[in-house]
Amino acid sequence: MLGPVPDSSAWLTGVRRRTPLGRLGSADDIAAAVVAVHALDWVTGQVLAADGGLGLHSPIDPTGCADWLTRRLLRSSRQIAAMRTESAGSFGRRRHRR
């Protein structure tokens, strides 16, 4: 319907990494899930999550962008703290001449 999805994008690599099955699903995977549900005589009106386990992660952030942002912010805050420590240490070592 929408055409092939580029398999080499960084976004898809992140999705693949976060999927417990370790791969993206195919049209055959979805078709097999639909056929399996239709074969059940006593199941009606179910919502089937055929996502390879990706739904086990945050529904707000299924691709892990928030994880990346959190790591980036923590790294930045550690760098700022280190710069403050260095500048405070060098200030304490200086002697002021009169």
Side-chain angles (χ1 to χ4, degrees):
M1 291 197 313
L2 298 175
V5 177
D7 195 30
S8 62
S9 75
W11 182 80
L12 284 177
T13 300
V15 171
R16 186 181 300 110
R17 188 185 78 246
R18 290 176 54 87
T19 302
L21 291 181
R23 66 179 181 85
L24 299 176
S26 67
D28 289 338
D29 293 324
I30 302 302
V34 170
V35 168
V37 169
H38 280 291
L40 301 171
D41 291 332
W42 214 69
V43 175
T44 61
Q46 295 300 310
V47 175
L48 179 66
D51 63 0
L54 186 62
L56 297 172
H57 294 284
S58 168
I60 296 169
D61 183 35
T63 60
C65 291
D67 292 343
W68 174 84
L69 182 59
T70 301
R71 287 192 305 274
R72 178 81 175 158
L73 290 172
L74 285 173
R75 185 172 52 231
S76 296
S77 64
R78 282 190 291 252
Q79 289 171 343
I80 292 169
M83 288 188 300
R84 286 182 178 160
T85 302
E86 288 174 9
S87 65
S90 63
F91 179 74
R93 287 191 297 263
R94 289 186 202 159
R95 296 200 176 212
H96 296 285
R97 296 182 190 188
R98 292 185 183 191

